[in-house]
């Protein structure tokens, strides 16, 4: 099982539990994640969805190089189209969710695992967490909405700098850039911050929260969906290049 779902009061917790891939976003994980997001979005008895990891060291490693290798070249194009479509729908389903969405980041979040986090309304992180956009080293262009969500949060110039540097982003820097909203020193404090936020959410009226989110995000969601289609087209072209295969093999 890649995703463990549990309901507590008015909140559904979606815990990623795929240790052999370090919560990597392969087809199995992506399909399971999308199914659970859609079910949570349809649940009229909740007002919030929390994304977390069951493992201390990692939130999500994103798509792993060994899995990406199966998408290189003409023979792999169908695999790439399939996984991109599902992961893009994950991002869009989170961004468009009528529920309040929260990412609870306990460890590193890389690549696609980083981008899915960005689609959430609230992002709360432990100070030991690390963030990374490693497209540059792989010879790839951004995907899963990164080329839309990152500039929306911190501007085009800072986004380009982050993508080209390809360096680990420390929690304090992530907070300063707006990539996360709050930092916690330990797991207890992490959940205290989460519960404070969820308490505030629970004071509202769910249909009004859903309407407010739609007013604030629907236009952006249309733009995000359009941008992700463009991202996918660029990736499909780049994955025909032998250079991508060579770079991915080094990382396996």
């Amino acid at each position: 099982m890649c995703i463990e779902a549990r309901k507590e009061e008015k909140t559904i917790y979606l815990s990623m539990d795929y240790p052999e891939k370090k919560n990597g976003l392969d087809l199995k994980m992506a399909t399971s994640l999308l199914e659970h997001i859609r079910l949570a979005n349809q649940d009229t008895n909740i007002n919030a969805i929390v994304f977390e990891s069951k493992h201390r060291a990692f939130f999500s490693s994103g798509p792993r190089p060994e899995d990406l290798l199966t998408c290189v070249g003409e023979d792999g194009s169908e695999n790439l189209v399939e996984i991109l479509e599902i992961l893009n729908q994950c991002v869009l389903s989170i961004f468009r969710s009528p529920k309040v969405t929260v990412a609870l980041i306990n460890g590193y979040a890389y690549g696609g695992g980083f981008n899915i986090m960005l689609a959430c309304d609230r992002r709360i992180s432990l100070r030991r967490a690390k963030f990374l956009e490693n497209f540059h080293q792989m010879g790839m262009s951004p995907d899963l909405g990164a080329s839309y969500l990152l500039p929306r949060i911190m501007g085009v110039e800072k986004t380009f700098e982050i993508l080209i540097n390809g360096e680990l982003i420390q929690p304090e820097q992530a907070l300063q850039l707006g990539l996360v909203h709050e930092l916690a020193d330990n797991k207890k404090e992490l959940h205290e911050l989460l519960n404070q936020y969820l308490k505030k959410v629970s004071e509202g009226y769910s249909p009004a929260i859903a309407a407010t989110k739609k007013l604030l995000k629907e236009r952006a969601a249309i733009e995000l969906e359009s941008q992700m289609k463009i991202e996918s087209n660029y990736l499909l072209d780049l994955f025909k290049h032998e250079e991508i295969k060579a770079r991915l093999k080094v990382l396996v």
Side-chain angles (χ1 to χ4, degrees), residues 165-213:
N165 283 345
E167 297 173 353
L168 281 174
I169 302 170
Q170 303 298 325
E172 290 77 12
Q173 184 185 7
L175 180 66
Q176 183 182 16
L177 292 170
L179 300 174
V180 298
H181 298 96
E182 293 181 288
L183 296 178
D185 291 324
N186 51 58
K187 195 172 182 180
K188 180 183 177 183
E189 186 180 342
L190 186 72
H191 284 92
E192 286 174 353
L193 291 172
L194 171 66
N195 290 334
Q196 288 170 15
Y197 184 68
L198 292 179
K199 183 177 183 299
K200 197 69 179 175
V201 170
S202 70
E203 294 170 359
Y205 179 46
S206 295
I209 292 173
T212 300
K213 285 194 63 176

Side-chain angles (χ1 to χ4, degrees), residues 27 67-86 236 239:
L27 188 59
D67 294 321
L68 289 172
L69 272 170
T70 67
C71 299
V72 177
E74 295 293 341
D75 294 339
S77 61
E78 286 188 18
N79 294 338
L80 184 58
V81 168
E82 184 177 21
I83 188 67
L84 280 175
E85 175 60 26
I86 295 173
L236 283 166
F239 265 71

